[in-house]
Amino acid sequence: MLRRLMAPLTDGLTYRRYVHLLLGAVILLPYVALVWLIASTVTNGGLGPLGLVAIVAPATGIAVGVTLVPGVRALAITAARLLLGAEVPEPDPATVDSWQGRRRAALWLVVNAAAGGLTALVTLVVFPTTIGFVFAPWLVLPPFPTGGRAWWLPLVGALLPVLLLHAAAAGGAALARLAPRMLGPTRTERMAAELAAAHAAERALAERNRLARELHDSVGHALTVTTLQAGAAARVLDSDPAFVATALDAIAEAGRTALADLDHVLGLLRDGDGGDRTPPPDLGDLDALVDGARSAGVAVGLRRDGATGTVPRAVSREAYRIVQEALTNALRHAGPVPVAVRVTVEEDAVALEITNPLGPSHGRTGGGRGIAGMRERVGVLRGELAAGPDGDRWRVAARLPFGDARMHG
């Protein structure tokens, strides 16, 4: 019990909360002085009705307006955190000085002024009373006894400051619990913050998915082409050295391209942007992509209808990745079979068609992310995708709108 009784005296938080309560009295003091001045003036008959209105109206406006000025809420939050130890959530910076926030801060000042006035009044009573009780055996303090009969008064006097600190600790704790409700985010602000957090999480997830697709398409394509080239070179290692040299050069080029793509993706993960790194490939790089597949022994026919340079870069990048993934799937599932690639640039969209003869593993379910990744890319652009058997061939067809077609798609 003694430890519990003395705990507030050894806790620094008690004294900080006591200071916060007394600050409420400081806030209250000018208003008390103003009321006393007006009341004394009216009592002495020094002002008529018009003069009273001329003083009271602007004084009231100033008194109320001071509590509504910008920054009061932020100042109150700082004081509540430092002095009360309150855990006040950070309000939205865009609404911290909204009128709703200012009104809540003004109400908080009223509560603090009331609590501070009561604290100051009790303090002004307790300390003189404590001094009087401590010296009561040697002083005459009617109606209290004096001399030996007042032996108990010093004990009571010593106990009064302890009780005052207990009361200050309890009052400060009550304000600390109230502060988050009055100074923290409003319900609207909390909903806005939760919505913003949800949007940020959604954007982060979409970005992670996009980076995963970039790695899957670029590195997967490079590994597939490299595997085919290495296998073909191994078969003619002794009989066709020139082909082996060409295959090795193609393997090196595929590796460099994959490393460049990997560097770009890692830059996005590390820095949040591509910085000065090599930009990702787009439809303007189709020739290099097709040449890499041809070097693996695949007969790739490329046909362009329209100017690919007019396609917006974001759409052009996704179109390139779709062609790249379709070529990778053809090489992986059908082997070195002829592949036909057609790119048609329309007025407000780019159409892709990649076809190849069916291979032994075409149409098998599970294991891959290629078609799913293409669907995600097309879905982001609100386009259309068809991938599957078409007679005796495998066909991938995609249409990626841009401009007005995308907006109204």
Side-chain angles (χ1 to χ4, degrees), residues 10-388:
T10 59
D11 189 356
L13 183 59
T14 299
Y15 298 96
R16 295 201 303 271
R17 286 175 171 175
Y18 188 46
V19 169
H20 192 280
L21 289 169
L22 291 180
L23 286 177
V26 174
I27 295 173
L28 181 63
L29 187 61
Y31 296 94
V32 172
L34 179 62
V35 171
W36 176 83
L37 178 63
I38 294 175
S40 61
T41 303
V42 172
T43 302
N44 295 332
L47 289 176
L50 293 179
L52 181 63
V53 171
I55 291 179
V56 171
T60 303
I62 293 173
V64 173
V66 166
T67 64
L68 297 175
V69 297
V72 171
R73 185 183 181 187
L75 183 62
I77 290 174
T78 302
R81 289 173 176 169
L82 295 178
L83 299 178
L84 293 177
E87 296 181 359
V88 183
E90 193 67 37
D92 184 359
T95 60
V96 66
D97 282 327
S98 64
W99 281 108
Q100 184 180 8
R102 295 185 198 182
R103 288 193 296 268
R104 297 172 82 226
L107 181 59
W108 171 255
L109 292 181
V110 172
V111 172
N112 273 265
L118 180 60
T119 301
L121 180 62
V122 173
T123 301
L124 292 175
V125 172
V126 165
F127 279 102
T129 302
T130 297
I131 296 173
F133 279 15
V134 168
F135 293 99
W138 301 277
L139 298 175
V140 179
L141 298 173
F144 298 104
T146 189
R149 294 178 301 167
W151 63 269
W152 55 274
L153 286 177
L155 298 178
V156 175
L159 186 61
L160 286 178
V162 177
L163 296 178
L164 175 62
L165 288 176
H166 271 277
L175 287 178
R177 288 192 296 270
L178 188 61
R181 299 180 181 180
M182 299 189 67
L183 296 176
T186 64
R187 182 179 180 183
T188 302
E189 290 172 338
R190 286 195 299 270
M191 292 178 63
E194 293 172 359
L195 184 61
H199 285 165
E202 183 180 358
R203 288 193 297 270
L205 179 60
E207 182 66 10
R208 287 197 297 270
N209 290 337
R210 185 180 73 83
L211 296 179
R213 291 194 301 268
E214 293 288 323
L215 284 177
H216 173 274
D217 294 351
S218 60
V219 177
H221 177 78
L223 290 176
T224 300
V225 171
T226 298
T227 301
L228 288 175
Q229 289 167 332
R235 287 192 295 270
V236 296
L237 183 61
D238 297 326
S239 61
D240 194 349
F243 177 83
V244 173
T246 302
L248 291 177
D249 288 341
I251 290 173
E253 180 61 30
R256 284 191 292 268
T257 302
L259 285 175
D261 287 342
L262 182 61
D263 179 66
H264 175 76
V265 172
L266 292 179
L268 290 173
L269 288 172
R270 182 170 52 248
D271 305 327
D273 56 48
D276 295 328
R277 296 174 177 84
T278 303
D282 57 18
L283 289 177
D285 301 292
L286 278 182
D287 288 330
L289 177 67
V290 169
D291 289 341
R294 287 170 178 164
S295 66
V298 179
V300 181
L302 174 60
R303 175 180 174 182
R304 296 185 184 89
D305 295 324
T308 56
T310 62
V311 180
R313 184 158 181 78
V315 179
S316 184
R317 288 196 299 262
E318 299 301 321
Y320 174 91
R321 292 301 187 191
I322 291 172
V323 174
Q324 183 184 52
E325 181 58 28
L327 280 175
T328 302
N329 288 341
L331 295 174
R332 183 180 301 156
H333 298 295
V337 298
V339 180
V341 178
R342 181 174 181 179
V343 180
T344 304
V345 179
E346 303 171 1
E347 182 178 355
D348 53 4
V350 57
L352 309 172
E353 185 181 54
I354 304 94
T355 58
N356 61 270
L358 284 173
S361 61
H362 265 129
R364 292 181 182 177
T365 58
R369 286 278 306 160
I371 295 179
M374 287 190 286
R375 292 194 187 282
E376 290 174 358
R377 293 182 183 278
V378 172
V380 169
L381 297 175
R382 301 180 184 178
E384 302 171 354
L385 175 72

